[in-house]
């Protein structure tokens, strides 16, 4: 455990992941409001997470030195986005794409501030909300409630009329549940079984399942002996090899999704050429568009951003994003690890500019027994 830190009139300590633990005082609810709202599914069916960004800035106020530093980083990222908008080609979607980016950018300082003040308390209440979302997911899976037209929701119904999948935009926060939210062992077991069942059987997200497993296992693996680490590594390699070979048989839906992403990537990379300036916000290919309201948003989002913004602007944004990740922790290795996961997710998913996914990555790799 590191030496205590000071924050205003509060003493902070660091856990093994380099994240602050608040001691002795209560964090104002207004600071935790926005991160918690990103996981409140019923509201998000009608209102975007980004709708709460401006109220969150007002509630947070001037904050502390770290918060004001993050605001400066966010201002720099916003400037890059505005420069691209001013200099590049215009289209009918450029303003919507830019505004979505700007709202996401200014959401990051408020999320970081809440994490620095009390990451454990934040994760605890996010766990309660995840259990509520899990219950709602199971209920909607077996109900006949019409969800057509609700935003932030992906409900896939088969030709037989049976719901095959229910996924909503904040499902990723299931990956960072805190089992020590509950003192009784049976409640911890129930929580992990329920959340795994939700992510695997209802949300059907391989990415979230992998993050959940990694987040729970990694802290114990890092403290284990070299022999156990070697064994786990070998098992992981064998598992991925088997999945790679037999994925079309085991999960044909996942295999089809990967083929779609490969199709998107081939088109995007084939269009890069000698492009250095970018084609501008909102650029899209009709053959890749799956959402008529946001046709510029494709699963291979990071490669698509390279095409839209150009390498110089994208590199500037990615570098500033790394500074955001390092800002929320005193353990630089953890900061780099979370940032790497964030980029990997953004490479083949359309979730880079979603506040709940940024929050998810910022809360990864934390020790449940931090105290």
């Amino acid at each position: 455990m590191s030496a205590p830190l000071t924050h205003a009139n509060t003493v902070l300590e660091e856990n093994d992941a380099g994240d602050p633990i608040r001691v002795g005082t209560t964090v104002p609810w207004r600071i935790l409001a926005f991160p918690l709202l990103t996981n409140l599914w019923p509201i998000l069916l009608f209102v975007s997470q980004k709708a709460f960004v401006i109220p969150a800035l007002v509630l947070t106020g001037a904050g502390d030195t770290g918060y004001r530093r993050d605001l400066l980083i966010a201002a720099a990222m916003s400037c890059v986005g505005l420069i691209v908008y001013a200099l590049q080609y215009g289209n009918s979607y450029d303003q919507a794409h830019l505004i979505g980016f700007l709202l996401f950018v200014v959401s990051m300082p408020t999320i970081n501030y809440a994490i620095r003040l009390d990451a454990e308390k934040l994760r605890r209440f996010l766990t309660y909300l995840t259990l509520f979302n899990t219950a709602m997911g199971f209920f909607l899976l077996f109900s006949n409630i019409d969800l057509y037209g609700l935003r932030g929701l992906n409900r896939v119904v088969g030709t037989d009329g049976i719901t095959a999948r229910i996924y909503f935009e904040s499902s990723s926060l299931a990956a960072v549940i805190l089992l020590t939210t509950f003192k009784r062992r049976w409640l911890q077991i129930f929580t992990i079984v329920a959340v795994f069942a939700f992510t695997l059987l209802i949300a059907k997200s391989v990415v979230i399942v992998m993050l959940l497993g990694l987040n729970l296992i990694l802290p114990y693996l890092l403290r284990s002996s070299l022999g156990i680490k070697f064994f786990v590594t070998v098992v992981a390699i064998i598992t991925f090899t088997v999945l790679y070979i037999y994925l079309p048989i085991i999960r044909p839906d996942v295999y089809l999704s990967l083929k779609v992403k490969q199709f998107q990537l081939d088109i995007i990379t084939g269009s890069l050429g000698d492009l250095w300036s970018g084609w501008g916000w909102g650029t899209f290919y009709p053959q890749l568009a799956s959402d008529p309201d946001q046709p510029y948003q494709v699963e291979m989002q990071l490669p698509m951003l390279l095409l839209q913004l150009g390498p110089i602007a994208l590199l500037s944004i990615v570098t500033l994003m790394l500074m955001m990740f390092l800002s929320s922790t005193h353990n630089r290795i953890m900061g780099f690890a979370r940032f790497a996961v964030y980029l990997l997710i953004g490479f083949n998913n359309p979730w880079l500019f979603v506040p709940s996914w940024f929050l998810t990555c910022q809360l990864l790799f934390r020790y449940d027994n931090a105290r």
Side-chain angles (χ1 to χ4, degrees), residues 322-344:
L322 173 59
M323 294 172 64
M324 279 288 189
F325 273 90
L326 296 177
S327 175
S328 70
T329 178
H330 297 278
N331 187 324
R332 297 183 68 84
I333 294 178
M334 287 294 176
F336 279 104
R338 293 162 187 158
F339 174 70
V341 172
Y342 179 76
L343 287 187
L344 286 173

Side-chain angles (χ1 to χ4, degrees), residues 144-366:
N144 294 319
I145 297 177
D146 184 13
L147 301 177
Y148 179 78
L150 295 179
R151 63 161 311 282
L153 179 70
N154 181 3
R155 182 173 187 173
V156 179
V157 180
T159 55
D160 54 2
I162 298 177
T163 300
R165 183 194 191 204
I166 295 178
Y167 178 88
F168 51 97
E169 63 184 4
S170 63
S171 295
S172 63
L173 288 164
V176 293
I177 57 172
L178 185 66
L179 294 181
T180 52
T181 298
F182 308 102
K183 302 304 179 184
R184 297 183 180 275
R185 177 64 64 179
W186 71 270
L187 282 175
Q188 295 180 2
I189 295 175
F190 170 80
T191 298
I192 191 61
V193 171
V195 173
F196 257 114
F198 168 72
T199 56
L200 189 61
L201 303 177
I202 298 180
K204 293 188 176 180
S205 174
V206 176
V207 174
I208 299 176
V209 171
M210 292 176 63
L211 289 180
L212 175 59
L214 184 64
N215 202 41
L216 293 174
I217 296 173
L218 188 61
Y220 303 99
L221 180 62
L222 293 176
R223 295 196 298 267
S224 64
S225 65
L226 183 61
I228 293 178
K229 292 177 181 176
F230 177 77
F231 174 76
V232 171
T233 302
V234 171
V235 170
I237 293 174
I238 295 175
T239 301
F240 279 113
T241 303
V242 171
L243 287 175
Y244 178 79
I245 297 174
Y246 295 102
L247 187 61
I249 300 174
I250 300 173
R251 287 294 302 271
D253 56 331
V254 176
Y255 177 74
L256 179 61
S257 176
L258 292 177
K259 295 296 288 184
V260 170
K261 293 176 181 179
Q262 181 63 50
F263 171 71
Q264 294 178 343
L265 184 60
D266 290 342
I267 292 180
I268 294 170
T269 53
S271 304
L272 292 176
D274 297 326
L275 178 69
W276 283 97
S277 60
W279 291 8
W281 294 105
T283 299
F284 71 98
Y285 284 102
Q287 63 267 43
L288 300 185
S290 58
D291 185 348
D293 296 323
Q294 297 179 314
Y296 48 82
Q297 201 86 320
V298 300
E299 290 185 330
M300 305 300 291
Q301 187 175 13
L302 198 57
M304 190 64 187
L305 283 172
L306 180 62
L307 184 67
Q308 293 165 335
L309 308 184
I312 297 176
L314 183 57
L315 180 60
S316 300
I317 289 174
V318 167
T319 301
L320 292 167
M321 185 71 70
L322 173 59
M323 294 172 64
M324 279 288 189
F325 273 90
L326 296 177
S327 175
S328 70
T329 178
H330 297 278
N331 187 324
R332 297 183 68 84
I333 294 178
M334 287 294 176
F336 279 104
R338 293 162 187 158
F339 174 70
V341 172
Y342 179 76
L343 287 187
L344 286 173
I345 290 172
F347 181 81
N348 61 358
N349 289 287
W351 300 324
L352 267 179
F353 299 151
V354 180
S356 59
W357 270 97
F358 174 76
L359 174 60
T360 299
C361 292
Q362 283 286 45
L363 291 176
L364 287 175
F365 313 135
R366 298 177 185 272

Side-chain angles (χ1 to χ4, degrees), residues 103-159:
L103 288 174
F104 166 74
V105 166
V106 296
S107 76
M108 291 187 290
T110 61
I111 291 173
N112 274 1
Y113 190 33
I115 291 173
R116 282 195 300 268
L117 287 187
D118 200 332
E120 184 176 334
K121 182 176 183 179
L122 178 58
R123 284 190 69 195
R124 192 162 63 246
F125 282 99
L126 286 172
T127 301
Y128 289 129
L129 292 176
T130 294
L131 282 176
F132 172 79
N133 292 340
T134 296
M136 287 291 295
F138 276 103
F139 171 74
L140 293 175
L141 182 66
F142 298 106
S143 69
N144 294 319
I145 297 177
D146 184 13
L147 301 177
Y148 179 78
L150 295 179
R151 63 161 311 282
L153 179 70
N154 181 3
R155 182 173 187 173
V156 179
V157 180
T159 55

Side-chain angles (χ1 to χ4, degrees), residues 30-31 54-64 67-68 71 109-110 113:
R30 59 186 176 85
I31 305 300
I54 303 303
L57 292 173
V58 174
L59 288 174
T60 302
D64 59 5
Y67 174 70
R68 292 190 289 273
L71 284 177
T110 61
Y113 190 33

